[in-house]
């Protein structure tokens, strides 16, 4: 396993890499993220209880691909489609798919969440869940807008949008998340921790999604589950 230099990561407007942590790469191409190692089991528990244990899942900004591999290994009813705008990330996702012990990993496909159409995954009523983990604070706000609009457009009736990451709540933000926002905005002024109640929930309600559950997670993160009311 080798350490992947920051220079290979996609860049923000400031020229700094999008990846906020060093990632190791296996000789077979699979990348490993320290944050995934920390949060994958809490996320699995939330998936089991609040999202779904079976069905078609589209992940937006799949990163290393570890979450899809881990959750489909644990939940044998899940069929998971990777997507990313970053070619290096898609290569890692392809490697995880190739090394998988089952055939329930699909993609990766190119999806730019900020766009009004998502290409090959644009299948209305097909998706039981759409997942985005640690993305909307490390992207322009247009990505959050497009993500939520896409979920409203493509989820099955009763389908779930699952968001994981740090959030402010009604204008209040944990000190660690405030410091994180400052760090993010030093990289790109369009990034930052979003306010769940003032920014995200109103957008979701506009497209027919309602809050189903909000689960507190380690390190001042939240799992937020919206449900399609169509």
């Amino acid at each position: 396993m080798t350490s992947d230099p920051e220079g290979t990561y996609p860049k923000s407007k400031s020229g700094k890499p999008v990846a906020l942590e060093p990632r190791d790469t296996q000789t077979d191409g699979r990348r490993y993220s320290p944050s995934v190692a920390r949060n994958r089991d809490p996320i699995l528990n939330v998936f089991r209880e609040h999202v779904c244990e079976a069905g078609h899942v589209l992940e937006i900004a799949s990163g290393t691909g570890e979450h899809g591999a881990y959750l489909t290994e644990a939940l044998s009813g899940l069929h998971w489609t990777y997507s990313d705008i970053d070619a290096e990330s898609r290569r890692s996702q392809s490697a995880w798919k190739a090394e998988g012990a089952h055939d329930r990993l699909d993609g990766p496909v190119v999806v730019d969440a900020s766009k009004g159409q998502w290409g090959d995954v644009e299948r209305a009523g097909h998706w039981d869940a759409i997942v985005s983990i640690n993305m909307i604070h490390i992207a322009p706000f247009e990505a959050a807008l497009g993500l939520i609009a896409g979920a409203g457009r493509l989820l099955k009736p009763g389908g779930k949008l699952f968001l994981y990451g740090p959030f402010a709540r009604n204008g209040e933000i944990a000190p660690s998340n405030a410091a994180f926002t400052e760090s993010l905005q030093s990289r790109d002024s369009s990034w930052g921790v979003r306010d769940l109640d003032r920014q995200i929930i109103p957008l979701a309600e506009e497209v027919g999604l309602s809050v189903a559950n909000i689960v507190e997670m380690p390190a001042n993160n939240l799992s937020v589950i919206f449900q399609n009311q169509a």
Side-chain angles (χ1 to χ4, degrees):
M1 187 180 292
T2 60
S3 180
D4 200 352
E6 284 190 344
T8 65
Y9 295 148
K11 303 297 194 295
S12 69
K13 290 178 182 177
S14 69
K16 296 182 179 180
V18 169
L20 304 181
E21 58 187 1
R23 292 173 176 174
D24 291 325
T25 304
Q26 289 275 21
T27 55
D28 60 20
R30 288 179 293 170
R31 286 183 169 185
Y32 289 82
S33 163
S35 63
V36 174
R38 294 191 297 269
N39 64 33
R40 63 186 185 179
D41 284 315
I43 287 174
L44 171 60
N45 291 336
V46 171
F47 237 78
R48 279 195 173 112
E49 187 169 352
H50 299 296
V51 185
C52 60
E53 295 188 67
H56 294 278
V57 179
L58 170 63
E59 185 180 15
I60 300 298
S62 301
T64 62
E66 292 168 271
H67 280 299
Y70 191 72
L71 268 68
T72 55
E73 186 68 27
L75 302 173
S76 61
L78 291 184
H79 295 259
W80 195 280
T81 297
Y82 290 128
S83 77
D84 216 291
I85 60 172
D86 173 46
E88 289 292 329
S89 294
R90 292 196 303 273
R91 279 190 276 275
S92 178
Q93 294 154 28
S94 293
W96 279 102
K97 175 182 172 181
E99 291 299 317
H102 56 74
D103 61 357
R104 291 175 288 105
L105 289 171
D106 295 320
V109 295
V110 178
V111 174
D112 182 343
S114 69
K115 303 300 183 184
Q117 292 290 310
W118 290 357
D120 292 344
V121 303
E122 196 73 26
R123 288 175 271 172
H126 176 74
W127 303 104
D128 295 278
I130 294 176
V131 172
S132 185
I133 297 171
N134 283 326
M135 187 274 280
I136 64 172
H137 55 285
I138 314 177
F141 194 63
E142 287 78 9
L145 290 168
L147 171 67
I148 293 166
R153 188 171 67 246
L154 300 178
L155 283 172
K156 287 181 178 179
K160 305 286 183 63
L161 170 63
F162 173 79
L163 305 180
Y164 174 91
F167 292 92
R169 298 298 309 271
N170 277 315
E172 300 288 332
I173 189 168
S176 62
N177 285 342
F180 187 35
T181 285
E182 289 185 11
S183 173
L184 291 173
Q185 292 184 339
S186 73
R187 293 168 173 259
D188 191 315
S189 61
S190 69
W191 296 0
V193 173
R194 313 303 181 186
D195 192 304
L196 178 62
D197 303 274
R198 296 182 178 183
Q199 294 180 291
I200 304 303
I201 290 175
L203 292 173
E205 291 175 341
E206 287 180 7
V207 299
L209 306 178
S210 63
V211 175
N213 294 98
I214 300 173
V215 182
E216 292 189 5
M217 305 293 279
N220 288 318
N221 290 305
L222 296 175
S223 285
V224 184
I225 303 96
F226 296 94
Q227 187 164 23
N228 184 11
Q229 297 303 307

